[in-house]
Structure formats: structure tokens, C-alpha cells
Amino acid sequence: MKIVILNTSERTGGAAVAAGRLGKALGQAGIQVDKLIRENSWLNRFRFYWERLIIFLCNHLNRKNLFAVSIANTGMDLSGHPLVKDADIIHLHWINQGFLSLKDIEELVKLNKPIVWTMHDMWPCTGICHHARDCEKFQMGCESCFFLKSKGKDLSTSVFDKKLSLYKEANITFVGCSRWLSGRAKKSYLLRDKTVLSIPNPIDTEVYHPMDQDMTRELLGLPSGKRLLLFGALNVTDKRKGIDYLIEALRKIEKQDVELVVFGQVKDDIRGLFPVPIHSMGYLSDESKIVALYNAVDMFITSSLEENLPNTIMESMACGTPCVGFEIGGIPEMIDHKINGYIASYKDASDLANGIQWVLEQDQLALSDACVKKVQENYTEEVIVMKYLSLYQNILYKNDGKL
């Protein structure tokens, strides 16, 4: 069995991390896996900017929401690539921002090879948006897109119609990384006749595992004798990551020598924003330091307002560190309320503060054991690989009449 994985990026973003982990796990299980990504060439940079320009123009020259939507109007035709031609199954992951256009995906469909599309956000089942939020128009047909502040048939309509035509006869099986996303996708008019499954992302528990807290704090230069809370994102100050709710929540908690550790890109000075001392770790690429960081803190907080199945929560729990997050997307599937963490009411800073306080007051060893147990039973490479192997084999059997 030969699988080729297609994803825009090699390492940047949650989808890239998840696709890389799946590919590695499949390879360790004896499956031949190859990967194709968007190369860093002037032509691909042009494709990226060309797509953004069209969105910018259709959004009345407004930069707001410029990256909340994608239209897949340009990309690379990989249908003739040797790895694609040699593959038994084409496995798409996140393919936006100039990597694959809808026309390019159509050329892949024409190869008559089965395609698996792991959805890391809602884009495959909507017109143009990556997260539909409260909008339900994708269930019938997109128009008057609130991201574009448009009326009637618009850019979302034309892309929706192109996807409808593309999917009509396509042999594509859609996989949501969370039950939440799969449930949303099943309601889409685009996928009404398609198979939609739910398989989580995997994590290597040989890498992400509990370590001694005092040792990891000393390694990272973090203070001992303090209650350390961790917050991080690719872009910490992105409003979608809910930093304002976190700031408000920290103002509400009873101070217990609490300090905040932040990792990720910080484009603005945020030290004066928080009511507690901050330790900024910057952007971390060294996986051993990331693992040490999860082990060095008492909890991981995600105040994100849009999520599917965050790798950060999975990583934290694999290290035995409990998490607090809003009731959004796939987060309630990962955090079992008041068992291995706390689920706060959506956009409720007071309840987020309650969650932080609750974790601080619990038996930390019991919480840690519950976190590790959750990951071992649901997200290990062995568990997830078996699910994908079963899917691949079923698809090939239906496609060829044999395994």
C-alpha cells in the first residue's frame, strides 16, 4: 500500500504537525508514505499573493478577514507527479494558500484513485470560510458571506458551486479530526452524498510524556515554588485566540503565586496587559523544549474562540498537564470536564477563571494520571494508525474489489 500525503506546509501550523505525525506513524507501521508540500519558490509566492488579492478586492479593499477565507483559485497541478501516479491512495490535508486549486483537485480526481481528505477546519465543506462560526448557510448554499459583508450571490457562492461540481462524481472520503467537525461537515449540502468519518490526530507518546517538574523548570529557567500557567499559539495576539478573555480571567482568580508562561509569536508587547508576572518563551521549534515546557507548568490554558482538535491540548495532556478551555469545536471531546481539566462556557471569562481556580485546587497527581489515560486510550499513534489502515483497506476494497 502506497500513500501520498499532500499538505501546504511541512511544519508550520497544526495541520502540518498532524499530517507529519500521521505520516511518520504510518511509516513505522510498514506503510510506504510520501509527502508533497508547497515549495518556497517565487511562483508559489505569487500564487499565494494572487489569491489574497482577489479576496482583498472582493472584500471592498478591506484587509479584515483576509485569512479567514480561501478560494483555491490557483495552485499546482500534481496529477502528473511520479509520487501521485505511483500512489494507491491520495491523502489530502490542508491544501490552501496557493498549494492546490479546485482545478488541481479535479485533476487528481480524474486519476480515478481513491482520495482521503482529512479536514483540519471547515473549508472543504463550506464555500470559502475556514470556520463558519454561527453561520449555517453552508447547509444549503453559500451567499451573503458575513466575512465579506456582501449581499446576495457573491464570491462564496461561486466557489461553493465549483466545489459542488467537483465533488459530484469524486471518489473522496472526508475525515474530520473531531466529532464536532465531522458533525458540521455532514450537514453541508456539498457533502450530502459523501462518506464523512471522524478520526483524531495522533501523538507520539514516546516523545510527549510526563517528566519531573522541578527538573524541567530548572532546564528552562522558570521559577520554582510558583503556580505556572501556560498559554501559547502560533500568533499569541491573534484575537481568535481569545487573549482578552484570558486577561480578564486572570484578573478574577484568587492570587496563589500565579505566574503566566507564554510561548509562540508575540507581535506586540503584552507584558503590561496581564495582571500577573509573565515569562515569554518566544517561538519554540525544539520539540524537546516544548515537551519540557508542558511538564514545567501546572496547567495549559486555551482561550481560543475557534478550534477543531488542538494539538496543544493533546500535547499537554500527554505530558500529564491538565487543560482549561472554552466549550468550542472539538475541545470538549479532549477535556473531560472536572476529570482531567475544565471546560468553560464559551466566551465567559468568569467561568474561565473558575476553571483555572478549580485546577489549582485539585490533586495534581490524580489530574495528571487522568490526562495521560485519556491520551493513551484515544490519541496514540498505534490507536490512530489502526483506524486509518482500516479506512484505507475498506476504500481499496471498494475501489478494486480486493485488498
Side-chain angles (χ1 to χ4, degrees):
M1 187 188 301
K2 299 177 182 178
I3 310 296
V4 61
I5 289 176
L6 277 60
N7 192 80
T8 298
S9 169
E10 175 70 30
R11 297 179 61 87
T12 304
V17 171
R21 288 175 178 171
L22 177 61
K24 179 176 73 73
L26 287 168
Q28 291 174 342
I31 305 300
Q32 180 177 327
V33 180
D34 295 291
K35 182 189 289 185
L36 294 174
I37 62 171
R38 183 187 63 192
E39 298 175 352
N40 186 23
S41 65
W42 70 266
L43 180 57
N44 284 332
R45 288 193 292 273
F46 172 79
R47 288 169 174 146
F48 169 82
Y49 288 116
W50 174 246
E51 180 183 22
R52 295 305 120 186
L53 176 61
I54 299 300
I55 295 169
F56 179 64
L57 295 174
C58 291
N59 200 20
H60 316 292
L61 306 184
N62 190 336
R63 293 179 61 185
K64 187 177 181 181
N65 299 323
L66 190 59
F67 290 93
V69 301
S70 293
I71 58 177
N73 63 320
T74 182
M76 304 169 60
D77 180 6
L78 297 175
S79 60
H81 195 286
L83 294 179
V84 172
K85 295 177 73 173
D86 197 38
D88 296 306
I89 293 176
I90 301 169
H91 195 151
L92 307 181
H93 283 261
W94 203 84
I95 50 78
N96 296 110
Q97 297 188 354
F99 181 40
L100 295 183
S101 69
L102 293 178
K103 179 63 177 175
D104 297 329
I105 297 174
E106 183 180 357
E107 293 303 313
L108 294 177
V109 169
K110 289 179 180 177
L111 296 175
N112 292 319
K113 295 176 181 284
I115 297 175
V116 173
W117 195 341
T118 293
M119 301 179 290
H120 295 274
D121 57 35
M122 290 186 66
W123 189 82
C125 66
T126 68
I128 60 176
C129 69
H130 292 278
H131 287 279
R133 298 183 184 174
D134 296 329
C135 179
E136 302 290 344
K137 292 175 183 173
F138 67 95
Q139 295 186 24
M140 292 302 297
C142 290
E143 62 179 12
S144 302
C145 180
F146 72 91
F147 280 115
L148 303 178
K149 291 183 168 52
S150 55
K151 299 295 182 182
K153 296 186 182 301
D154 57 11
L155 186 63
S156 70
T157 310
S158 62
V159 177
F160 189 95
D161 290 344
K162 289 176 183 177
K163 287 182 180 179
L164 191 62
S165 176
L166 166 63
Y167 294 165
K168 188 175 182 181
E169 302 296 335
N171 182 12
I172 304 178
T173 300
F174 293 86
V175 178
C177 296
S178 65
R179 295 191 300 273
W180 167 81
L181 180 55
S182 297
R184 295 283 273 168
K186 288 176 181 178
K187 294 179 179 179
S188 171
Y189 188 74
L190 291 171
L191 307 190
R192 67 196 186 283
D193 298 323
K194 298 300 179 185
T195 299
V196 180
L197 306 173
S198 176
I199 302 177
N201 300 323
I203 188 167
D204 186 348
T205 51
E206 294 295 319
V207 174
Y208 290 86
H209 60 85
M211 300 170 64
D212 180 75
Q213 188 178 85
D214 291 335
M215 180 191 71
T216 53
R217 288 190 180 190
E218 183 178 356
L219 175 68
L220 298 172
L222 293 171
S224 60
K226 302 288 185 179
R227 309 304 297 273
L228 299 184
L229 318 180
L230 181 63
F231 173 72
L234 185 61
N235 178 7
V236 172
T237 53
D238 185 342
K239 291 295 184 181
R240 294 177 304 162
K241 297 305 176 182
I243 189 173
D244 294 335
Y245 293 94
L246 176 60
I247 293 169
E248 186 178 348
L250 291 175
R251 291 192 178 119
K252 294 177 180 293
I253 66 171
E254 297 178 12
K255 302 300 185 293
Q256 300 180 19
D257 292 324
V258 168
E259 298 185 4
L260 184 68
V261 183
V262 177
F263 72 100
Q265 294 179 354
V266 182
K267 296 184 178 180
D268 304 303
D269 186 6
I270 62 172
R271 291 183 181 274
L273 296 177
F274 291 96
V276 298
I278 295 181
H279 305 273
S280 181
M281 307 301 293
Y283 177 77
L284 297 178
S285 58
D286 185 333
E287 197 167 41
S288 65
K289 287 187 177 181
I290 295 173
V291 174
L293 181 57
Y294 283 121
N295 278 280
V297 300
D298 295 289
M299 77 182 75
F300 174 71
I301 306 168
T302 174
S303 52
S304 182
L305 307 179
E306 294 179 358
E307 283 295 354
N308 178 18
L309 197 82
N311 288 321
T312 48
I313 291 180
M314 193 180 299
E315 292 164 356
S316 179
M317 293 177 68
C319 294
T321 301
C323 303
V324 177
F326 284 134
E327 189 176 8
I328 186 69
I331 291 178
E333 300 170 29
M334 309 179 78
I335 303 174
D336 299 314
H337 186 54
K338 291 189 173 181
I339 296 176
N340 52 39
Y342 191 97
I343 297 293
S345 299
Y346 186 53
K347 291 186 176 181
D348 187 336
S350 294
D351 201 24
L352 192 65
N354 291 340
I356 296 171
Q357 195 73 45
W358 183 86
V359 171
L360 290 174
E361 295 170 354
Q362 301 309 301
D363 180 332
Q364 297 303 302
L365 181 58
L367 274 182
S368 179
D369 289 345
C371 288
V372 173
K373 183 174 184 288
K374 175 76 174 195
V375 172
Q376 290 288 346
E377 291 178 351
N378 295 276
Y379 305 125
T380 63
E381 291 180 341
E382 293 80 9
V383 170
I384 303 308
V385 162
M386 290 304 297
K387 291 179 183 292
Y388 268 111
L389 286 180
S390 177
L391 171 59
Y392 293 155
Q393 289 168 349
N394 287 338
I395 289 173
L396 291 177
Y397 181 84
K398 292 178 181 178
N399 198 61
D400 301 329
K402 59 182 179 180
L403 291 178

